[in-house]
Amino acid sequence: MRILGLDPGLNITGYGLLAKTPRTTAPKLLEGGVVRGGGSDEDLPFRLREIHHGIAEIIAAFSPTAVAIEQLYSHYEHPRTSILMGHARGVIVLAAALARVPVFSYSATQIKKTLTGNGRAPKPQMQQAIQRELRLSTLPEPADVADALAIAICHFYVGKEGRS
């Protein structure tokens, strides 16, 4: 099994690819990086096209068997942000669907609780948990990749049957 964790963003979308085998008790890092959607000076359709194209290339290159993505969260003070993130998340889910890769969604609380035991864990604690789980010599950077790896690790351990 190859799990592609994705952290959607209009400027930068982080990705992390993990392997899981029947003999594996811990996730194995295969790849991590970012897809750039373009700067904030670019129009939304251009940025969405870039994200879709980049994720489609990653899926084609690595043939994941599952895509894990964070559920959309909407803060009442910033509804526009969640609407824009919904666009990015939508083109990512479309890329996976076109490649016939199942998509699994996890809440931020579930991801944090799975990795640290605390659903409200701060970023530094999450990065340390990722570093420990993947046996990395340094903390994962940038934050977009770290978040994508956290989502993939969550799916590695939870492996829920429900889809997005």
Side-chain angles (χ1 to χ4, degrees), residues 82-162:
S82 62
I83 291 168
L84 291 172
M85 286 304 102
H87 284 71
R89 192 178 188 279
V91 299
I92 289 168
V93 171
L94 175 63
L98 289 173
R100 301 199 183 285
V101 180
V103 178
F104 300 86
S105 295
Y106 299 93
S107 69
T109 304
Q110 182 177 17
I111 295 163
K112 290 177 179 185
K113 189 168 185 168
T114 300
L115 269 72
T116 67
N118 175 5
R120 302 227 181 262
K123 273 231 191 268
Q125 186 179 359
M126 288 294 293
Q127 286 182 313
Q128 289 171 350
I130 295 162
Q131 181 182 17
R132 182 181 60 252
E133 287 294 327
L134 299 177
R135 297 175 183 93
L136 303 174
S137 58
T138 60
L139 292 175
E141 294 282 340
D144 310 284
V145 173
D147 291 346
L149 290 170
I151 296 162
I153 293 169
C154 178
H155 185 74
F156 179 91
Y157 287 116
V158 175
K160 77 179 194 178
E161 298 300 317

Side-chain angles (χ1 to χ4, degrees), residues 31-91:
E31 179 78 22
V34 297
V35 171
R36 299 199 183 278
S40 56
D41 55 331
E42 299 288 351
D43 65 353
L44 182 61
F46 173 85
R47 294 162 81 182
L48 295 173
R49 184 188 74 215
E50 292 300 302
I51 295 165
H52 180 271
H53 179 74
I55 297 302
E57 281 186 344
I58 291 166
I59 290 171
F62 296 108
S63 303
T65 53
V67 166
I69 192 167
E70 189 174 329
Q71 289 176 353
L72 192 58
Y73 170 77
S74 179
H75 192 279
Y76 71 93
E77 291 180 2
H78 305 285
R80 182 166 162 46
T81 301
S82 62
I83 291 168
L84 291 172
M85 286 304 102
H87 284 71
R89 192 178 188 279
V91 299

